[in-house]
Amino acid sequence: GQQVMQIPQYQHVQEGEDFTTYCNSSTTLSNIQWYKQRPGGHPVFLIQLVKSGEVKKQKRLTFQFGEAKKNSSLHITATQTTDVGTYFCAGGTGANNLFFGTGTRLTVIP
Amino acid sequence: EADIYQTPRYLVIGTGKKITLECSQTMGHDKMYWYQQDPGMELHLIHYSYGVNSTEKGDLSSESTVSRIRTEHFPLTLESARPSHTSQYLCASSDHGVAGGYEQYFGPGTRLTVT
């Protein structure tokens, strides 16, 4: 069945350092979405990528969708304490549901 | 801010009790979802609905049931709660998005503890 894996599972960084999480799907995706869940909160939509090789930026966040549309990455430049949380990718296959990744929990040390 | 609501936010209940978790959205979305998430872990889809009178089981087997009599309302029921049901339950809704995608809006969740 459909699987979406993320690495690393956990990441501790010093404030100001960069952070990257990687998302890999076992099948080709029609789109990929990224969500952020703060500790004790609920997932909040960040962005969606649709095109092969697409790159999108949101301030210090850069999102990429692989050429084969089976992998994606989220890169945060110069992390801040407000970046703390778990980042989930979610792959869409053209049907109605999303397959959420396993998540990467980011801790930022001040 | 998304207009999707869940009640109760926290529930502690004894084994064998019947419970219903409420979820309502005011965005007119056709699609609604229930996820189960243990603390710090991934989300598991347990039920979804494409619209009124449509309900489907998700990827994770669950002893819960759902109904969709009205577009805005998608309650989840456990007939007999067990300690293994202890978890956070997240409700979400979505509409058609750009290029076939569909951003999901999540409610605040219900943290269920079965003693």
Side-chain angles (χ1 to χ4, degrees):
Chain A
Q2 177 73 36
Q3 284 190 336
V4 180
M5 303 298 294
Q6 278 183 256
I7 55 171
Q9 189 175 0
Y10 304 94
Q11 184 78 61
H12 291 71
V13 299
Q14 205 74 35
E15 188 174 17
E17 291 182 340
D18 292 356
F19 158 76
T20 305
T21 173
Y22 300 90
C23 178
N24 293 288
S25 168
S26 58
T27 61
T28 301
L29 301 170
S30 59
N31 65 84
I32 193 141
Q33 299 180 10
W34 284 90
Y35 291 77
K36 177 184 178 181
Q37 184 174 21
R38 293 182 185 275
H42 57 275
V44 175
F45 175 82
L46 293 176
I47 206 161
Q48 176 178 268
L49 304 170
V50 178
K51 300 176 184 176
S52 170
E54 189 171 12
V55 178
K56 287 189 176 180
K57 292 190 176 186
Q58 286 181 350
K59 297 183 180 178
R60 294 177 295 104
L61 278 61
T62 302
F63 304 84
Q64 291 188 318
F65 200 10
E67 293 290 341
K69 301 183 77 172
K70 295 181 71 173
N71 57 74
S72 181
S73 66
L74 158 59
H75 179 82
I76 302 178
T77 303
T79 54
Q80 301 175 359
T81 54
T82 53
D83 296 326
V84 164
T86 301
Y87 292 85
F88 291 98
C89 64
T93 59
N96 286 295
N97 297 339
L98 290 174
F99 293 92
F100 277 83
T102 47
T104 295
R105 188 185 301 178
L106 172 64
T107 300
V108 179
I109 304 163
Chain B
E1 192 70 20
D3 296 318
I4 180 163
Y5 309 97
Q6 289 185 245
T7 57
R9 293 292 310 279
Y10 303 91
L11 179 62
V12 180
I13 200 162
T15 297
K17 299 291 185 184
K18 177 180 178 179
I19 58 170
T20 296
L21 307 184
E22 302 287 350
C23 176
S24 295
Q25 51 97 4
T26 59
M27 297 172 282
H29 288 166
D30 285 330
K31 301 177 181 61
M32 296 190 74
Y33 314 83
W34 276 103
Y35 293 89
Q36 185 174 341
Q37 183 185 36
D38 291 328
M41 304 298 286
E42 61 195 286
L43 287 81
H44 294 285
L45 180 67
I46 52 175
H47 297 283
Y48 60 97
S49 168
Y50 295 154
V52 171
N53 294 325
S54 153
T55 61
E56 303 286 344
K57 289 188 179 295
D59 307 311
L60 181 69
S61 175
S62 173
E63 293 164 343
S64 58
T65 59
V66 292
S67 63
R68 190 88 183 275
I69 298 172
R70 302 198 316 266
T71 297
E72 63 271 21
H73 196 214
F74 192 40
L76 181 146
T77 298
L78 273 167
E79 289 293 333
S80 179
R82 295 208 301 267
S84 60
H85 296 138
T86 295
S87 189
Q88 174 165 251
Y89 292 84
L90 289 160
C91 180
S93 72
S94 72
D95 203 345
H96 291 287
V98 175
Y102 30 80
E103 171 186 348
Q104 292 192 12
Y105 295 87
F106 284 83
T110 294
R111 292 187 185 274
L112 173 66
T113 302
V114 184
T115 61

